[in-house]
Amino acid sequence: MALRIWASSTANALRLSSATRPHFSPLSRCFSSVLDGLKYANSHEWVKHEGPVATIGITDHAQDHLGEVVFVELPEAGGTVTKATGFGAVESVKATSDVNSPISGEIVEVNSKLSQTPGLINSSPYEDGWMIKVKPSNPSELESLMGATQYTKFCEEEDAAH
Amino acid sequence: MRIPRNLEVWRLGTVNYLKALKLQEKLASDRKINKITDTLLSLQHPPTYTLGKRRTDYNLLVPESELKNMGAELHYTQRGGDITFHGPHQAILYPIISLRDIGLGARKYVENLESTMIELSSLYGVKAHGQRKCETGVWVGDRKIGAIGVRISTGITSHGLAFNIDPDLTFFKHIVPCGIADKDVTSLRRETDLVLPDDEVIQEQLVSCFARLFGYNDIIWKDKNVIEIDD
């Protein structure tokens, strides 16, 4: 798996476009990939807003810094999430890390594949590794999130500072 | 110029597990709002078995009622990792620190915790290593000398590491420690020929290794009685 992640990150760093991702273009200068068209929280979660539903997961930067995910705790559909509040957790390297929701709303779907295959978060953080789908209760919250360029810079500054 | 960073270390002696957990929760929420600086709890527990978020209680090999007869408690926690045992003569560090302030992710943080125990071991001539076949923890050969189980919430850490100075290793026979069935647990006492000083000395050395590895400029030592801190 490590080889696959390295390969996909290198492909993104070299700006190679992927035929399987026609709607989003990779936009990264660093090792982790950042997708255009998504919004990002400073706690390293992403949101993809399509019509009435927003999909949420953690970024490539986040999964890289976590290590191999072995367990994912998710809420039930029908529950609610609140902006900047935890809705679940992932476990890697004997560390459980809370995952925060970038927006508020009602959970309409949860990715049940993650209980059997938690590693999807590492191998496909923006697609198969999605965590929850939410009906936003306050769409204006999306505006205060970062865009791809801003998030890329945020990651670079965070990693460089130390 | 890098801003100097201080670490406040609380020497707590032996503390009941739940009391320590309650204290960590309070400190973590204070740290989150920057009310306090990075804080490290240095302590030991009375005999206690704990489980992580995955609740792997199939790795407890005896009924819970029997634990009470042994004088041990059992607690379910939100930390990562599998089942483990804490008891007298096992050095515990619970760092309550902001990972965002020092730009560390979970993986690097845990590696640093492993290095802390590896460095401490080397002070006594014991060659330990971490990340054995991607299994988090600290090992001497095939034998586990140090365990890690951590919780990270909004970038603030709690729980931490447990290093075996000279605990009663028979307590580990009642569990599959960390979910690993065929490997032994060991201690500093077993692995070194050197005469060990008092636990307090070793615990201080462990704290110093931690502070050095994490780049703290100053350590502020505080001796605390947990009963005083109960609000």
Side-chain angles (χ1 to χ4, degrees):
Chain A
M1 179 179 22
L3 192 61
R4 207 169 352 119
I5 296 172
W6 181 85
S8 84
S9 295
T10 304
N12 284 317
L14 295 171
R15 307 284 183 106
L16 298 175
S17 64
S18 167
T20 60
R21 285 203 283 243
H23 303 291
F24 305 104
S25 55
L27 181 90
S28 82
R29 285 181 291 283
C30 58
F31 197 69
S32 300
S33 72
V34 179
L35 298 191
D36 208 5
L38 303 187
K39 294 292 236 173
Y40 299 87
N42 62 8
S43 45
H44 302 286
E45 293 90 9
W46 56 264
V47 189
K48 179 161 68 178
H49 191 200
E50 289 170 312
V53 166
T55 309
I56 293 167
I58 67 170
T59 65
D60 190 25
H61 181 275
Q63 70 77 21
D64 181 58
H65 281 60
L66 282 174
E68 188 186 338
V69 176
V70 299
F71 178 73
V72 182
E73 186 188 66
L74 290 174
E76 309 257 301
T80 55
V81 289
T82 311
K83 182 184 167 77
T85 311
F87 67 82
V90 295
E91 181 176 338
S92 63
V93 293
K94 306 283 176 83
T96 55
S97 301
D98 287 1
V99 183
N100 294 326
S101 180
I103 57 170
S104 313
E106 186 200 332
I107 304 168
V108 297
E109 203 186 329
V110 161
N111 187 352
S112 52
K113 286 208 195 115
L114 292 180
S115 58
Q116 289 286 84
T117 327
L120 287 173
I121 290 188
N122 297 113
S123 58
S124 182
Y126 296 113
E127 283 162 34
D128 297 334
W130 67 272
M131 295 178 79
I132 58 173
K133 290 189 200 274
V134 165
K135 201 166 80 177
S137 57
N138 187 357
S140 65
E141 283 173 340
L142 285 152
E143 270 139 67
S144 56
L145 298 172
M146 290 183 265
T149 316
Q150 205 185 347
Y151 178 65
T152 305
K153 186 152 179 273
F154 176 75
C155 290
E156 284 171 356
E157 281 169 3
E158 220 183 48
D159 286 346
H162 310 282
Chain B
M1 189 175 91
R2 197 163 74 83
I3 303 163
R5 287 168 44 234
N6 292 337
L7 179 70
E8 194 170 293
V9 179
W10 294 19
R11 284 188 283 226
L12 294 174
T14 299
V15 187
N16 167 270
Y17 192 83
L18 278 183
K19 275 209 153 106
L21 197 56
K22 205 171 128 191
L23 176 60
Q24 288 179 74
E25 281 163 12
K26 176 168 192 325
L27 292 176
S29 90
D30 284 351
R31 183 67 190 87
K32 186 175 158 186
I33 56 175
N34 270 315
K35 196 170 158 196
I36 57 172
T37 185
D38 284 349
T39 304
L40 176 64
L41 306 183
S42 173
L43 57 122
Q44 296 192 5
H45 286 308
T48 313
Y49 291 92
T50 67
L51 286 153
K53 204 189 223 329
R54 280 177 282 145
R55 303 175 74 94
T56 50
D57 45 20
Y58 46 81
N59 284 325
L60 177 63
L61 304 176
V62 297
E64 204 179 321
S65 48
E66 210 174 298
L67 295 182
K68 289 203 179 84
N69 296 340
M70 285 176 222
E73 291 182 1
L74 173 69
H75 293 289
Y76 289 81
T77 75
Q78 296 297 308
R79 61 159 173 77
D82 209 303
I83 192 168
T84 196
F85 170 78
H86 300 306
H89 305 298
Q90 184 193 69
I92 296 210
L93 294 188
Y94 291 146
I96 315 292
I97 68 176
S98 167
L99 290 185
R100 289 186 196 166
D101 282 5
I102 50 178
L104 293 182
R107 192 159 53 136
K108 195 74 185 68
Y109 174 59
V110 164
E111 272 173 31
N112 282 4
L113 291 182
E114 288 177 340
S115 300
T116 299
M117 292 190 274
I118 291 167
E119 217 182 87
L120 189 277
S121 301
S122 74
L123 294 180
Y124 293 89
V126 175
K127 285 202 175 87
H129 58 93
Q131 284 276 303
R132 185 182 162 280
K133 286 184 193 165
C134 306
E135 185 60 54
T136 296
V138 176
W139 306 78
V140 182
D142 258 5
R143 306 171 296 285
K144 195 164 189 182
I145 196 172
I148 291 172
V150 166
R151 181 175 182 199
I152 302 167
S153 185
T154 328
I156 308 293
T157 63
S158 58
H159 298 273
L161 65 83
F163 181 80
N164 291 340
I165 300 175
D166 186 21
D168 181 352
L169 296 180
T170 61
F171 277 105
F172 286 94
K173 292 200 189 320
H174 305 297
I175 58 175
V176 182
C178 311
I180 306 161
D182 57 346
K183 298 292 178 273
D184 287 333
V185 179
T186 187
S187 65
L188 190 62
R189 162 77 71 212
R190 289 220 171 161
E191 298 293 334
T192 185
D193 295 324
L194 298 176
V195 173
L196 295 182
D198 285 344
D199 282 5
E200 287 78 24
V201 173
I202 301 178
Q203 286 176 253
E204 259 186 48
Q205 289 169 331
L206 190 62
V207 169
S208 300
C209 292
F210 176 94
R212 192 165 45 249
L213 274 157
F214 280 86
Y216 289 100
N217 298 92
D218 273 307
I219 301 177
I220 304 155
W221 298 90
K222 298 210 163 163
D223 290 291
K224 293 258 185 186
N225 188 330
V226 177
I227 300 166
E228 289 167 17
I229 326 168
D230 267 350
D231 280 333

